[in-house]
Amino acid sequence: MLTNAAVEQQKITELRLRKTFGGEEAAAQSAPAAADADRRAGRLLAQLAPRADGPPPRSPITTHVLDTCMGRPAPDVAVTLARAAPGSGATAWEVVARGRTNADGRIGDLLTPGVPPLPGHYRITFDVDEYQQRVLAAHPGFFAGRRFYPAASVEFEIRPDQTSQHFHVPLTWNPFGYSTYRGS
């Protein structure tokens, strides 16, 4: 009961802050804001929820980006997770979540922790062009004229019998190519 109250209070506080500091236009952007609020609420619930002997629940889909050219994680890369619209044959996509990699190049909270993903065909897209432009600004000439992949997309399938599993979808990237694997 108290955890539900904490989550609802968090949503109310965020709405009031958006109205106070972002104006009515910011408050009117309800769909993306609501999805972000739900994700943060899921994190709050994961921290407050009593758990048995196991670790706290985590997002069922996580990722990280490694810049193999620079030899380090890629921070602040915009990431979009989408699911193929049912019956579209993977020609129409519904955005499920958006996020940015942290200083370690990771996103551990794309989806609400402890809530299984829907089965289906997923695509995770990494905006590596934006990241590359920041690297270029910090290291002039390093990537000059080498941009080839403005975005990297990885598609994967979650079957109905896999919804209780964790899916870690990392990206190893450089200006000339990228690779992925099913992580743990």
Side-chain angles (χ1 to χ4, degrees):
M1 184 84 123
L2 285 177
T3 55
N4 288 340
V7 167
E8 293 306 313
Q9 186 61 49
Q10 175 189 0
K11 290 178 182 178
I12 291 167
T13 301
E14 288 182 5
L15 179 61
R16 288 179 179 162
L17 286 170
R18 275 195 302 278
K19 282 183 179 178
T20 301
F21 297 106
E24 292 300 319
E25 296 159 6
Q29 297 174 350
S30 59
D36 287 343
D38 285 343
R39 185 172 48 158
R40 285 189 295 277
R43 285 188 295 205
L44 178 63
L45 278 173
Q47 294 301 316
L48 296 176
R51 50 187 189 257
D53 297 306
R58 62 181 170 178
S59 171
I61 299 174
T62 57
T63 189
H64 75 268
V65 181
L66 300 172
D67 180 341
T68 58
C69 193
M70 297 295 287
R72 64 179 185 212
D76 202 32
V77 173
V79 175
T80 303
L81 177 66
R83 183 173 172 267
S88 73
T91 59
W93 297 88
E94 300 169 342
V95 173
V96 175
R98 296 179 194 276
R100 287 192 167 271
T101 58
N102 63 18
D104 291 327
R106 296 180 178 275
I107 301 178
D109 62 352
L110 271 173
L111 300 176
T112 302
V115 177
L118 294 172
H121 188 132
Y122 285 82
R123 177 172 62 198
I124 189 166
T125 303
F126 304 86
D127 184 355
V128 291
D129 186 47
E130 179 189 18
Y131 167 76
Q132 187 169 321
Q133 296 306 317
R134 284 194 312 276
V135 172
L136 241 173
H139 306 280
F142 188 69
F143 286 135
R146 298 182 182 175
R147 187 189 130 209
F148 188 69
Y149 297 105
S153 293
V154 177
E155 294 185 23
F156 59 100
E157 190 80 25
I158 298 178
R159 295 187 317 264
D161 64 327
Q162 293 178 311
T163 59
S164 63
Q165 296 179 19
H166 174 249
F167 296 87
H168 184 62
V169 186
L171 181 78
T172 57
W173 173 89
N174 69 61
F176 313 106
Y178 61 91
S179 179
T180 187
Y181 55 94
R182 168 114 191 241
S184 57

